[in-house]
Amino acid sequence: WNDTGGSCARIVPWDVPSAYFSAIRKAAQERDELVPYIYTASWRTASTGLALVRPMYYEDPADETMYGLRAQYLFGPDMLMSPITAPSGPEPVAFEEALGAVRWRVFAPSGSRGWGDRLKGGV
């Protein structure tokens, strides 16, 4: 939570509308589950110099497809990130209704590593 005592708004989970609470709780749980990965990846960055966030072409510089992938990036040694940056539709919807409402294509590089969907559990 954020309580700076200054000009920033006080934001605590129990002050949000109940319609958003379960989605916010799920997002917070996902974040908490990633803390060990982020900590380890950050340690690796500090000890090896390999950037924590890297463009896709770092995975396979010979693959020309990688150079055009501007909506996704590598995060740490094992995660591919592709933030959804498009609205879910022309009409505003509640936060929970918007979750999963956008179709988003992600390019998974070939290779020996098996890529999976962290939220849905698929490969």
Side-chain angles (χ1 to χ4, degrees):
W1 68 293
N2 177 11
D3 189 6
T4 62
S7 60
C8 293
R10 181 172 176 247
I11 302 169
V12 290
W14 47 89
D15 284 346
V16 300
S18 60
Y20 303 127
F21 187 76
S22 64
I24 291 171
R25 181 175 52 202
K26 181 163 177 47
Q29 288 170 337
E30 289 289 334
R31 181 203 59 208
D32 290 348
E33 289 175 13
L34 287 174
V35 167
Y37 174 82
I38 294 168
Y39 178 86
T40 302
S42 298
W43 178 85
R44 181 178 170 188
T45 293
S47 60
T48 67
L50 179 65
L52 181 63
V53 177
R54 302 174 316 284
M56 291 299 297
Y57 58 82
Y58 277 29
E59 182 73 10
D60 185 3
D63 186 349
E64 292 294 322
T65 307
M66 301 287 210
Y67 291 88
L69 301 172
R70 304 201 188 288
Q72 62 188 66
Y73 57 90
L74 299 166
F75 181 72
D78 300 315
M79 291 187 80
L80 185 152
M81 307 296 273
S82 183
I84 296 174
T85 58
S88 59
E91 299 296 322
V93 294
F95 183 72
E96 287 184 342
E97 293 172 17
L99 293 176
V102 176
R103 290 187 178 259
W104 200 255
R105 296 179 77 85
V106 176
F107 177 81
S110 61
S112 60
R113 119 182 19 201
W115 295 99
D117 186 328
R118 178 163 166 65
L119 297 178
K120 295 181 182 174
V123 177

